[in-house]
Amino acid sequence: MANQNAMGAMLNAYPDSVGGTLGDIVSVLQRPELKNAFTSFYILPSIFNTDLDRGFSLIDYGLNHLLSAPEDLEALKKLNMDLALDFILNHASVLSREFQDILKNGDQSEYRDFFIDWNRFWEGHGEMTAQGYIQPDPALIKDMFFRKPGLPILMVRFPDGRDVPYWNTFYQKVQYDRVDAQDLMHAGNLQYGEADKLAQLVNQALDAGKTPKEMDFGSLNGYREAVCDYLEGHRKYLGQMDLNIRSPLVWDYYRRTLETLAGYGAAIVRLDAFAYAPKEVGERNFLNDPGTWELLDRVADIAKPLGLTLLPEIHASYGEKTYELLASKGYMVYDFFLPGLIIDALESGDGKHLFDWAKELIEKDIHTVNMLGCHDGIPLLDLKGLLSEERIQNLIDTVVGRGGYVKDLHGQKNMYYQVNATYYSALGEDDAKMLLARALQLFMPGKPQIWYLDLFAGKNDHEAVKRAGAGGHKEINRTNLTTEQMEEALKKPVVARQLELLRFRSTCPAFEKESRIMVNSDGN
């Protein structure tokens, strides 16, 4: 890494988290109060050209002109700060150049197999449905991991009128634009009056959330086929489409992306959704073995000459030992156990589990990036097997009782996944607990990642959750601070003392990469 203290603290924020742009955050980092507090900056992927999921649906890796500029990255280099940036291995946006070329050119697109054609993948392993997609044999998908109900398919209209299913693990949305009489006159050889009446019916149905198949055309039902064909042929999509890692073009894309990230000043590349990318018939298609490791090895071969350290991001229970497997293969791992362990220790007065975890990290030489809060929430699924079910439930009850939200695993009740809360609120908005939690984090093995809102003692933002509507629970811990709010926060002792701890952690030679760490217990 460019910075001498590679294990110094790493700020974590969206480019618009403080002030509104990355340039505003750079100005904050240039302030004397933050001097030497951080050696790295993990900028979340809305720094890039994205459309959904606050950055995790990549159109391309060009800088987002509204939030960032090349001079911002140069200013960070002058502050001797290297970057951690995201690389989403499994998918790209429907709005990406490659997928848009498929929509335009269909079978003639050079990117026809850049994404995964569901029917080509499952050919010979299921039955074709009337809807035009293959329903795989039950035995082949009974153990498959799904992120949402139903098969992970987005039906895409090709220029020749066919609907082709593409693999879509994550988000999708189909949009139909409102129409006017002239649109429908050309679509169905209609008179103006008929077309005008149909346009009114169609627009009313669209406003009510109906799809073309659900629309009632009344006395003009004879034009149903022509109107529906027009609507389907002009539909638009949002979503994250799975990449076909068997395509050489995808590996060209991977190489170009890593070169771009290195050019921005990245030292760490966080691999998002990597475990979904390798796919095989009959496999779980999440963390496939050996496909996952073959993928990571190929990516590492590209990254190493560029001076990039890979950080695969994955949530799995402690009992599955996925973190240990990753570490044994030479990768840094996210310490998703620490946030819950610290709250457990502070609330119960019992630090044994925290002590045991620190000891395990040292004895097994596991290199981590650790955290308290982050953009996603406080992990709980990961603690399964490390803490008892009763202790985990007590932890959930405590954080929810302080205004947090529980996120179940993919909609399945009683399958806890994470709690959404600011870490400060999860600790009861207690300054002493916040400082102790930060000190524990900074003295743990690993490179500390600091969520900006925790640094500024941010509280649960319930109004943001209300504004976001359904599925907006994560907004509780993503409040964008104005410059004025940041100025006020810097006056708080809990913030100033965190910054003192961070300066010590980032500048003291005892914390450098080659240093040895020991943990001791007095037995109490």
Side-chain angles (χ1 to χ4, degrees):
M1 295 183 186
N3 200 294
Q4 288 186 349
N5 186 357
M7 300 305 290
M10 178 164 63
L11 179 65
N12 178 204
Y14 293 100
D16 53 343
S17 287
V18 181
T21 69
L22 183 58
D24 293 321
I25 297 182
V26 171
S27 297
V28 173
L29 291 168
Q30 291 170 335
R31 294 175 62 106
E33 296 97 325
L34 279 86
K35 184 178 180 180
N36 296 325
F38 298 100
T39 67
S40 306
F41 185 3
Y42 168 31
I43 311 174
L44 282 151
S46 53
I47 187 177
F48 305 125
N49 180 20
T50 67
D51 58 349
L52 294 170
D53 199 16
R54 201 160 177 185
F56 285 93
S57 180
L58 266 293
I59 299 172
D60 61 57
Y61 286 84
L63 295 179
N64 181 335
H65 297 161
L66 294 177
L67 300 182
S68 54
E71 50 265 34
D72 300 331
L73 302 182
E74 289 302 315
L76 289 170
K77 291 178 184 178
K78 290 178 182 178
L79 287 171
N80 203 26
M81 292 182 69
D82 52 42
L83 302 180
L85 297 172
D86 276 289
F87 180 20
I88 290 82
L89 289 181
N90 179 70
H91 51 262
S93 169
V94 168
L95 299 182
S96 64
R97 175 174 63 91
E98 295 84 0
F99 203 84
Q100 288 297 303
D101 194 83
I102 294 174
L103 296 178
K104 179 181 179 181
N105 297 307
D107 289 327
Q108 306 308 311
S109 171
E110 64 176 305
Y111 299 105
R112 176 68 172 81
D113 293 317
F114 190 88
F115 301 88
I116 303 173
D117 181 320
W118 178 269
N119 286 348
R120 290 185 177 182
F121 183 93
W122 291 102
E123 187 175 2
H125 300 285
E127 296 293 330
M128 182 64 71
T129 66
Q131 292 76 29
Y133 63 84
I134 290 177
Q135 175 65 49
D137 296 334
L140 297 176
I141 61 170
K142 64 182 180 65
D143 297 321
M144 194 166 142
F145 186 79
F146 293 96
R147 282 295 302 247
K148 57 191 178 186
L151 295 177
I153 293 171
L154 177 66
M155 299 300 291
V156 176
R157 177 61 62 98
F158 269 32
D160 62 5
R162 287 181 300 138
D163 283 331
V164 179
Y166 271 89
W167 200 309
N168 165 249
T169 294
F170 293 93
Y171 180 87
Q172 66 167 254
K173 183 178 181 180
V174 178
Q175 295 178 306
Y176 298 93
D177 289 340
R178 291 170 62 87
V179 297
D180 62 24
Q182 293 185 49
D183 294 328
L184 298 186
M185 284 177 68
H186 298 306
N189 194 26
L190 281 76
Q191 292 183 349
Y192 178 82
E194 295 171 323
D196 186 51
K197 184 174 181 179
L198 276 170
Q200 294 178 44
L201 291 172
V202 166
N203 290 333
Q204 289 173 3
L206 291 176
D207 291 343
K210 293 184 178 181
T211 66
K213 291 180 180 178
E214 297 169 333
M215 294 179 183
D216 181 4
F217 293 96
S219 62
L220 297 173
N221 196 57
Y223 296 110
R224 166 180 289 278
E225 183 176 351
V227 173
C228 285
D229 188 63
Y230 175 85
L231 291 171
E232 296 293 0
H234 290 79
R235 67 190 182 218
K236 296 177 181 176
Y237 312 90
L238 288 173
Q240 297 141 298
M241 307 309 297
D242 291 38
L243 301 175
N244 177 14
I245 64 171
R246 299 175 183 176
S247 168
L249 291 178
V250 167
W251 285 96
D252 290 343
Y253 166 81
Y254 280 0
R255 182 179 299 277
R256 291 195 309 273
T257 298
L258 289 170
E259 290 171 348
T260 297
L261 299 182
Y264 288 149
I268 295 175
V269 171
R270 177 183 178 273
L271 301 181
D272 183 79
F274 75 94
Y276 296 92
K279 297 178 175 67
E280 297 290 343
V281 171
E283 293 292 329
R284 191 166 184 247
N285 293 320
F286 175 77
L287 206 65
N288 287 355
D289 187 2
T292 300
W293 316 116
E294 293 170 350
L295 170 75
L296 288 181
D297 286 347
R298 285 189 68 181
V299 174
D301 286 342
I302 302 171
K304 188 174 181 180
L306 298 171
L308 300 173
T309 297
L310 300 182
L311 175 61
E313 187 267 350
I314 186 170
H315 284 277
S317 70
Y318 175 84
E320 294 174 81
K321 300 296 182 182
T322 304
Y323 70 93
E324 191 172 336
L325 182 57
L326 274 170
S328 72
K329 294 181 180 294
Y331 296 101
M332 293 181 73
V333 298
Y334 260 120
D335 184 354
F336 288 126
F337 310 108
L338 185 64
L341 286 175
I342 287 180
I343 298 176
D344 173 75
L346 294 181
E347 296 301 323
S348 68
D350 176 8
K352 181 182 183 304
H353 294 94
L354 183 60
F355 170 81
D356 289 344
W357 174 235
K359 188 176 178 182
E360 180 179 350
L361 290 174
I362 295 167
E363 291 178 347
K364 295 180 179 177
D365 194 29
I366 297 173
H367 300 279
T368 69
V369 168
N370 63 40
M371 70 193 72
L372 297 181
C374 69
H375 72 285
D376 257 351
I378 302 170
L380 295 179
L381 174 67
D382 307 71
L383 294 172
K384 193 175 178 68
L386 185 54
L387 295 182
S388 68
E389 294 286 343
E390 180 182 4
R391 252 179 127 121
I392 293 173
Q393 189 59 54
N394 288 340
L395 178 59
I396 296 170
D397 293 343
T398 296
V399 179
V400 171
R402 292 169 176 170
Y405 296 110
V406 175
K407 173 67 170 71
D408 294 313
L409 181 60
H410 317 321
Q412 299 178 49
K413 297 299 180 184
N414 302 317
M415 288 286 288
Y416 49 80
Y417 177 42
Q418 62 189 20
V419 284
N420 295 103
T422 72
Y423 210 79
Y424 184 61
S425 289
L427 293 172
E429 298 173 7
D430 184 310
D431 288 4
K433 285 183 179 179
M434 186 69 226
L435 288 169
L436 181 53
R438 182 68 72 207
L440 286 167
Q441 179 199 11
L442 297 183
F443 279 84
M444 282 288 291
K447 182 177 178 68
Q449 177 179 297
I450 313 299
W451 184 236
Y452 76 100
L453 208 54
D454 295 339
L455 174 63
F456 293 114
K459 299 179 181 180
N460 287 340
D461 192 343
H462 294 108
E463 289 304 313
V465 174
K466 291 179 183 177
R467 289 194 299 271
H473 50 279
K474 292 183 180 180
E475 298 305 310
I476 197 171
N477 188 32
R478 296 179 175 181
T479 307
N480 283 349
L481 301 177
T482 64
T483 302
E484 293 73 23
Q485 288 173 319
M486 180 274 300
E487 294 271 3
E488 286 301 311
L490 284 174
K491 298 174 184 177
K492 298 178 181 179
V494 67
V495 177
R497 294 186 69 185
Q498 281 189 79
L499 287 169
E500 289 177 17
L501 286 169
L502 287 164
R503 272 189 291 275
F504 176 68
R505 178 64 174 77
S506 292
T507 59
C508 180
F511 294 99
E512 292 179 358
K513 195 170 186 179
E514 295 76 17
S515 302
R516 294 180 60 196
I517 300 176
M518 295 179 290
V519 291
N520 295 304
S521 172
D522 62 6
N524 295 324

